[in-house]
Amino acid sequence: MDISGNTIFIPGATSGIGLALARALREKGNTVVVGGRRTELLGELAAEGFGTVRVDTADAASIEQAARDVLRRYPDLNVLMTMAGIMRAEDWTRPGDFLATAETVITTNVLGPIRLIAAFIEHLRSRKDATIITVSSGLAFVPLKVTPSYNASKAAIHMLSESIRLQYPDVRVVELVPPSVQTDLMPGQRDNERAMPLDEFVAETVALLESQPDAKEILVERVKFLREAVQRGDYDHVVTVLNATDPHANK
Ligand SMILES: NC(=O)c1ccc[n+]([C@@H]2O[C@H](COP(=O)([O-])OP(=O)(O)OC[C@H]3O[C@@H](n4cnc5c(N)ncnc54)[C@H](OP(=O)(O)O)[C@@H]3O)[C@@H](O)[C@H]2O)c1
């Protein structure tokens, strides 16, 4: 995609990667509309000059309402970035413990992007320069022991991206594949020294979007350890290393 001149909706941009990317993309000359549930943060972002929309991406009706609102106010919208996501630890040895968490993770991380794409696709297909940016994870490719449903949700987003790309010759589908990044996605993650600093991740991501306008996947250097494990032939080693070093691995 062209890095400037777009109108971009990012549901899941009240904090973390979404917010940092929203700011960086605005700097590059894009109109950016941010979405999320936390209305007080949306108020602050409106004061910063962003378009804002309240949306709960775990709720189908909320997505439909938000899509109507965004398209009425921003008829030039040509980029949808399905950023909203949650990550939760689960203990699958205790069936009573993990099921509700798993359902919430899958509803937010898989059904959310599917419903968002459904709500926007007709509009996007009417645009000459439409792009859907999905957000998977290095954990789509190598599992972290403590987050089975999260890993599975991101693997689903990877395959969904691969699949819909085949159905939409007129819409660019770009998969953002972050490594561990210092945000509040999981408790303690913001201060995890092994995670990538957020500003470095966003700078490298924007540079890749700019230098690789036809890329199917946006891969910063630090995610290649996970993303390319199968291709390198060291998958089992990477699974071991990831789960030995991650601070959540033994929780
Ligand atoms: N940080 C990492 O290490 C990492 C690695 C790989 C992939 N990712 C992915 O990157 C995306 C952003 O995560 P992050 O690290 O930036 O975490 P974050 O700081 O916790 O941000 C999550 C964002 O998603 C929004 N969100 C969550 N549930 C939502 C819902 N039901 N409805 C609407 N918005 C919702 C939150 O907004 P509200 O709370 O205001 O609703 C927030 O803006 C996620 O999809 C995550 O899986 C992150």
Side-chain angles (χ1 to χ4, degrees):
M1 63 181 254
D2 287 341
I3 196 69
S4 63
N6 303 288
T7 302
I8 305 171
F9 178 41
I10 313 180
T14 49
S15 63
I17 293 173
L19 176 55
L21 265 178
R23 288 187 172 129
L25 289 168
R26 202 163 66 131
E27 287 273 301
K28 288 282 179 187
N30 299 284
T31 299
V32 183
V33 184
V34 301
R37 293 164 300 179
R38 286 172 285 178
T39 45
E40 72 285 7
L41 294 179
L42 291 172
E44 290 170 18
L45 292 169
E48 229 181 273
F50 286 103
T52 62
V53 176
R54 194 202 174 269
V55 62
D56 179 352
T57 64
D59 176 349
S62 175
I63 287 176
E64 284 172 22
Q65 174 61 45
R68 279 194 295 275
D69 191 13
V70 169
L71 293 175
R72 182 179 49 77
R73 288 160 57 200
Y74 300 93
D76 289 340
L77 184 98
N78 69 311
V79 180
L80 170 67
M81 190 184 298
T82 56
M83 178 64 66
I86 57 171
M87 183 174 187
R88 300 276 187 270
E90 296 163 348
D91 182 352
W92 278 57
T93 66
R94 301 163 63 140
D97 283 1
F98 70 81
L99 184 58
T101 304
E103 289 179 357
T104 303
V105 168
I106 297 299
T107 301
T108 305
N109 293 8
V110 183
L111 265 182
I114 288 173
R115 287 170 171 158
L116 281 163
I117 292 167
F120 283 93
I121 192 60
E122 234 175 277
H123 169 83
L124 289 173
R125 295 198 73 188
S126 73
R127 301 280 316 185
K128 281 200 314 285
D129 49 355
T131 302
I132 296 170
I133 302 179
T134 59
V135 183
S136 68
S137 166
L139 300 181
F141 303 94
V142 176
L144 184 64
K145 175 180 163 185
V146 291
T147 55
S149 298
Y150 180 82
N151 308 336
S153 76
K154 294 302 185 177
I157 292 301
H158 170 65
M159 190 48 74
L160 189 79
S161 309
E162 290 279 298
S163 307
I164 63 175
R165 191 178 291 123
L166 300 175
Q167 291 203 17
Y168 299 148
D170 45 359
V171 177
R172 193 183 305 279
V173 178
V174 182
E175 179 185 345
L176 182 60
V177 190
S180 182
V181 177
Q182 289 171 344
T183 68
D184 294 327
L185 186 65
M186 286 279 272
Q189 185 158 335
R190 186 189 280 266
D191 303 318
N192 178 359
E193 286 176 5
R194 294 196 189 91
M196 187 169 185
L198 180 58
D199 55 349
E200 288 176 23
F201 171 73
V202 167
E204 194 175 340
T205 294
V206 170
L208 288 169
L209 286 169
E210 198 158 16
S211 64
Q212 301 179 5
D214 295 321
K216 293 178 180 168
E217 295 179 14
I218 298 298
L219 302 173
V220 299
E221 284 305 314
R222 283 178 65 158
V223 83
K224 291 181 179 175
F225 177 62
L226 301 179
R227 174 64 184 97
E228 296 173 355
V230 169
Q231 292 91 321
R232 283 193 309 270
D234 60 1
Y235 177 84
D236 289 342
H237 168 72
V238 174
V239 172
T240 303
V241 170
L242 174 72
N243 287 286
T245 57
D246 188 276
H248 299 293
N250 297 313
K251 284 185 184 165

